[in-house]
Amino acid sequence: MERESWSSNLGFILASVGSAIGLGNIWRFGYMVYTNGGGAFLIPYIVALLCVGIPLMILEFAIGHYTKKSAPLALEKLHNGSEWAGWFAVISGFIITSYYVVIIAWCLYYLIILLIYGYPSDPNTYFFQNILQISSGVEDIGGVSYGILTSTLAVWGIIALILSAGVKNGLEKANKIMIPFLLFLVILLVLNALTLPGALTGIEWYLTPDFSALLDYNVWLSAFSQIFFSLSLGFGILIAYASYLPKKSDLTINAFTVSLLNCGFSFLAGFAVFGTLGYMSYTSGIPLDKVVSEGIGLAFVTFPKALSLLPFGSKIFGIVFFLALVFAGISSAVSIVEASVSAIMDKFSLSRKKALLYVLALFIIVSPIFTTGAGLYYLDIIDHFASGYLLPIAAILEIIIAIWLFGGDKLREHVNKLSEIKLGVWWKYLAGVISPIILTAVVLLDASNVLTSGYGGYKTTYVMLGALIIPLTFVVSIILQKMKTIKG
């Protein structure tokens, strides 16, 4: 079976950028800056980008391009018996996508509600009670939010439509539309935010450095974590994407381009978020440190409330905001699903549509649990262990196999034959030593906190059940390796 390929390097860049840019770029980055020393956070953030982000992206591009395989068979080709480690990355991405798509569905459903009815008078009550229909706790599964369930199925339908068309006609064409349009939407939000009274107060909160924060190791760990997750490292996505590149491709330039575009987008989106929140503080008289809320609250409660206060065009800019979230979410989700589809195609020599059908069937079985009244609790617990443990472990395994077992110098030579920017020995030590040390520290420090203080106020039983996804991912990865590989 002939391997698909990108029609142009631009298509590959936009698809990789689409994978990197997700919901967190719009709502999480600004909050991370706000809570970790303001503008001072940008110093460890840039250090993390240069020391871990770009070196690991070059590594994943090199693995995919060198082997011309998706993650499982790529790692197996580098070192015999290592296929399971690739499956570990793919399964980690599968688990994350099963609830990530539901978050996109929240955005889509909120967008539809906004179009039909306008802003709710009480965004907090409306989002949690009317949309999510949240239950009293983990034990109370509640009913299904049919609006969210329908929106989830609609998002899966869009993803299926894009991926069924293949690399050139699906992934590439979709990202050539979504990424420029997403950038346009965010620029609109930024321009609107910067013209509002009180906006400069919000921007000042966003950029003013508190250099004393640099003495806190948690700030540095937060910066490295943000870079790692925002660049889609550890999913197996970039390995699959690079496997579709033609033989002559400048891997280092591509890695620098994708990384810088992703980080630049995050930085730009921060102006839209904090300029608007500054305006909300100005009009409501609430201090900015009381206005800003984290993650879900920022996107679905605080920001809609701020936009509803706009003197004109409030509904339009609300629509723009949620459209941006939907586009950012889908551009990331299609890439994670593609990592699973590509791996199934390679392993069992299936057609794209058949592999996609099997993968989507599994997703549609798993995702509805997150549309129930207790869905937000399940999402919170599982996300903590999936993104906080599975992805770093997947990256560490990948580093050990590719650099220390196969040989970092071999991959470096492969990259240098193709690239204008030559990699020195420094690259092997940044990617092969510094990165795994930092990722291990992130995992161990969080594990220590969970063991001593628990997580999120949940009962220990439920936290331990969430942690079970770690050994289960190992088991399923080994089972998939033992299944016979069918050569096409």
Side-chain angles (χ1 to χ4, degrees), residues 449-460:
N449 288 334
V450 170
L451 289 172
T452 56
S453 307
Y455 172 70
Y458 299 108
K459 290 181 180 178
T460 303

Side-chain angles (χ1 to χ4, degrees), residues 39-169:
F41 178 78
L42 298 176
I43 296 171
Y45 183 77
I46 293 169
V47 171
L49 172 66
L50 297 176
C51 293
V52 172
I54 294 173
L56 284 188
M57 184 170 286
I58 292 172
L59 175 65
E60 295 205 344
F61 283 172
I63 293 170
H65 190 264
Y66 181 86
T67 62
K68 291 295 179 183
K69 302 287 183 184
S70 58
L73 297 191
L75 294 181
E76 177 69 18
K77 188 171 181 178
L78 295 184
H79 187 264
N80 189 39
S82 298
E83 181 187 331
W84 68 272
W87 284 114
F88 190 94
V90 170
I91 295 167
S92 302
F94 177 91
I95 292 169
I96 289 170
T97 313
S98 66
Y99 58 80
Y100 187 72
V101 163
V102 177
I103 300 175
I104 302 170
W106 298 348
C107 302
L108 178 60
Y109 188 57
Y110 208 118
L111 174 64
I112 294 168
I113 295 297
L114 186 60
L115 283 166
I116 298 173
Y117 301 109
Y119 290 101
S121 57
D122 182 354
N124 186 70
T125 300
Y126 187 79
F127 176 67
F128 288 104
Q129 301 301 326
N130 296 62
I131 294 181
L132 298 189
Q133 297 175 23
I134 194 166
S135 70
S136 59
V138 182
E139 300 90 345
D140 179 13
I141 193 168
V144 172
S145 172
Y146 290 104
I148 296 299
L149 179 60
T150 304
S151 299
T152 300
L153 294 175
V155 173
W156 278 124
I158 295 168
I159 292 170
L161 190 66
I162 292 170
L163 292 180
S164 63
V167 173
K168 291 179 183 177
N169 295 321

Side-chain angles (χ1 to χ4, degrees), residues 86-361:
W87 284 114
F88 190 94
V90 170
I91 295 167
S92 302
F94 177 91
I95 292 169
I96 289 170
T97 313
S98 66
Y99 58 80
Y100 187 72
V101 163
V102 177
I103 300 175
I104 302 170
W106 298 348
C107 302
L108 178 60
Y109 188 57
Y110 208 118
L111 174 64
I112 294 168
I113 295 297
L114 186 60
L115 283 166
I116 298 173
Y117 301 109
Y119 290 101
S121 57
D122 182 354
N124 186 70
T125 300
Y126 187 79
F127 176 67
F128 288 104
Q129 301 301 326
N130 296 62
I131 294 181
L132 298 189
Q133 297 175 23
I134 194 166
S135 70
S136 59
V138 182
E139 300 90 345
D140 179 13
I141 193 168
V144 172
S145 172
Y146 290 104
I148 296 299
L149 179 60
T150 304
S151 299
T152 300
L153 294 175
V155 173
W156 278 124
I158 295 168
I159 292 170
L161 190 66
I162 292 170
L163 292 180
S164 63
V167 173
K168 291 179 183 177
N169 295 321
L171 282 167
E172 190 168 337
K173 284 187 177 179
N175 278 290
K176 282 182 176 178
I177 296 170
M178 286 193 292
I179 299 307
F181 187 57
L182 176 58
L183 180 61
F184 170 72
L185 293 175
V186 170
I187 289 173
L188 280 182
L189 290 171
V190 171
L191 292 176
N192 173 67
L194 294 179
T195 61
L196 298 171
L200 291 181
T201 304
I203 301 301
E204 185 178 357
W205 270 91
Y206 178 45
L207 297 179
T208 300
D210 174 13
F211 291 113
S212 65
L214 297 180
L215 300 176
D216 183 356
Y217 72 89
N218 287 307
V219 172
W220 289 82
L221 288 178
S222 296
F224 278 88
S225 297
Q226 177 68 14
I227 281 291
F228 179 76
F229 299 125
S230 72
L231 291 179
S232 294
L233 300 169
F235 287 90
I237 297 167
L238 301 178
I239 294 175
Y241 274 16
S243 73
Y244 302 137
L245 278 170
K247 289 183 178 180
K248 294 184 178 180
S249 299
D250 193 320
L251 301 180
T252 51
I253 291 292
N254 283 342
F256 273 94
T257 303
V258 172
S259 300
L260 294 174
L261 285 174
N262 170 73
C263 295
F265 181 90
S266 295
F267 186 65
L268 177 67
F271 286 93
V273 171
F274 277 89
T276 305
L277 294 178
Y279 170 72
M280 181 180 180
S281 175
Y282 173 83
T283 55
S284 65
I286 302 172
L288 199 64
D289 59 346
K290 303 294 183 184
V291 167
V292 178
S293 57
E294 186 177 3
I296 291 171
L298 175 61
F300 295 99
V301 178
T302 307
F303 211 74
K305 182 66 176 178
L307 290 173
S308 71
L309 298 173
L310 294 180
F312 61 89
S314 62
K315 186 172 181 179
I316 292 172
F317 283 104
I319 291 167
V320 169
F321 175 68
F322 282 102
L323 262 181
L325 292 182
V326 170
F327 272 74
I330 290 176
S331 69
S332 288
V334 293
S335 67
I336 312 175
V337 178
E338 173 62 21
S340 297
V341 171
S342 179
I344 296 294
M345 289 168 63
D346 284 352
K347 176 72 175 180
F348 302 107
S349 194
L350 294 176
S351 67
R352 168 171 288 276
K353 289 186 178 179
K354 190 171 285 188
L356 178 61
L357 183 63
Y358 291 147
V359 171
L360 287 177

Side-chain angles (χ1 to χ4, degrees), residues 52 56 59-60 63 75 85 88-89 92 228-229 233-236 389-403 431 435-436 439:
V52 172
L56 284 188
L59 175 65
E60 295 205 344
I63 293 170
L75 294 181
F88 190 94
S92 302
F228 179 76
F229 299 125
L233 300 169
F235 287 90
Y389 291 74
L390 293 182
L391 289 182
I393 292 170
I396 292 166
L397 293 171
E398 176 187 297
I399 290 165
I400 292 170
I401 292 163
I403 293 185
S435 296
L439 293 173

